[in-house]
Amino acid sequence: MSTKVVIVGASGRMGGALARCIHNGAVEGIELAGAIDVWDAPGLSKDVGVASGVGEMGVAITSDLAAVAEDADVLIDFSFHTGCAENARRAAEWGKAVVVGTTGFSDDEKAMIQEASKRIPVVMAPNMSLGVNLLLSLAKRAASALKGKGYDVEIVERHHRRKKDAPSGTALGLGEAVAEGLNWDLKQVAQHGRAGLSPDDRPLEQIGFHAVRGGDIVGDHTVIFAADGECVELSHRATSRDAFAVGALQAAAWIAGREAGLYSMLDVLGLD
Ligand code: NAD
């Protein structure tokens, strides 16, 4: 049986990648039931396949989520943090599963999505690629192996010039994974950027985040464990948005029909 999905944020970069991957049959058993964007989006009322450059798919981009959700199993949301949290709240009212790819949420918006996940299944991951989720798992393992052995942790991410949030949701997710491995509270130890003169040495109990923005970089992440005399670096480089789109479609196929709850891509991929 196929899983009927709605792309939310269909005119955007990820919306286009999702349409392309559905058109190419990248994940088996996915059927496109709708494509949604805001009322003044550039691609509104165009066929989503035409808008993304793969040719007619028979689904026009509209702004009426309630109308298309009715005939869908899963909403795949790659839009903007404010609208996405509200979309999750509405999906919970309609009993539709949601894959949340959007990043940059405030604590209140995260709480809205958590609330929705009490009524519907939600997969939420700041990065849907298999490679990054493997990196998350490796970073946590490395942190726990190096705990108490004098390694400073810094996380460097690089993205295209149009990315709105910084640091990336993936960098924060990597920070959470490392903090978990070290038994630290990320909020207490996160240091965003560094400038000027500091009278003191870098505190050991700190995780530094550095966000580079430029050109069309799809997304690079490196976790650095630096000690006296050596440095371990774990890196991932995305070369195309298709890696995220394929992961999101796998999540949609996995989540359809599951119990209500908040799931991660580690659950979908069976990694820990
Ligand atoms: P984009 O700006 O190219 O596209 C976002 C689209 O969403 C736009 O067309 C916009 O008009 C639309 N939109 C905004 N609010 C909306 C709403 N309320 N309802 C419907 N549509 C709405 O951005 P993008 O590069 O495609 O990224 C989208 C989001 O996905 C960002 O938060 C980004 O950080 C995140 N992202 C996540 C992953 C992942 O693997 N989880 C990968 C890439 C990007």
Side-chain angles (χ1 to χ4, degrees):
M1 214 182 66
S2 62
T3 303
K4 291 183 184 171
V5 303
V6 173
I7 303 173
V8 184
S11 286
R13 284 171 288 258
M14 278 307 301
L18 282 161
R20 268 198 317 275
C21 290
I22 294 172
H23 182 267
N24 299 342
V27 174
E28 244 177 71
I30 296 287
E31 193 183 322
L32 185 60
I36 292 294
D37 210 293
V38 290
W39 66 271
D40 58 347
L44 206 77
S45 78
K46 266 195 192 162
D47 184 283
V48 66
V50 173
S52 64
V54 290
E56 289 272 343
M57 290 177 76
V59 173
I61 303 175
T62 76
S63 58
D64 191 348
L65 181 58
V68 294
E70 213 171 305
D71 192 34
D73 304 307
V74 184
L75 312 184
I76 305 181
D77 195 312
F78 283 85
S79 60
F80 195 57
H81 59 102
T82 46
C84 178
E86 176 58 20
N87 291 340
R89 189 193 62 72
R90 296 173 77 199
E93 277 175 17
W94 305 327
K96 302 292 174 182
V98 185
V99 172
V100 176
T102 305
T103 63
F105 296 109
S106 67
D107 287 346
D108 286 350
E109 289 158 354
K110 273 190 209 156
M112 268 172 86
I113 295 170
Q114 258 159 5
E115 195 55 36
S117 74
K118 291 179 185 159
R119 295 167 67 188
I120 51 164
V122 177
V123 173
M124 182 167 169
N127 194 307
M128 301 266 168
S129 88
L130 169 60
V132 155
N133 284 284
L134 178 63
L135 181 67
L136 279 170
S137 168
L138 294 174
K140 185 173 157 190
R141 259 194 273 166
S144 123
L146 299 174
K147 182 174 161 52
K149 299 194 167 63
Y151 285 76
D152 299 318
V153 188
E154 300 275 311
I155 296 174
V156 183
E157 55 103 332
R158 308 194 309 164
H159 281 88
H160 53 90
R161 66 168 75 89
R162 292 190 182 81
K163 182 159 178 66
K164 297 195 172 66
D165 51 323
S168 69
T170 304
L172 290 170
L174 286 164
E176 293 282 4
V178 168
E180 221 179 303
L182 293 167
N183 283 333
W184 293 350
D185 175 357
L186 183 62
K187 282 215 166 99
Q188 303 296 322
V189 300
Q191 166 72 42
H192 295 284
R194 224 173 259 116
L197 290 172
S198 166
D200 304 313
D201 288 351
R202 178 196 190 283
L204 186 60
E205 205 158 308
Q206 181 173 89
I207 298 177
F209 289 88
H210 309 279
V212 177
R213 293 291 173 267
D216 62 353
I217 302 168
V218 176
D220 300 347
H221 292 88
T222 299
V223 184
I224 302 165
F225 296 90
D228 292 338
E230 68 171 5
C231 186
V232 180
E233 295 191 14
L234 300 175
S235 287
H236 175 270
R237 170 165 295 176
T239 53
S240 147
R241 288 186 177 79
D242 289 9
F244 313 130
V246 166
L249 295 174
Q250 285 170 336
W254 180 88
I255 202 176
R258 296 228 167 224
E259 276 182 21
L262 189 57
Y263 302 97
S264 72
M265 275 310 278
L266 298 178
D267 297 318
V268 175
L269 297 168
L271 296 167
D272 61 9

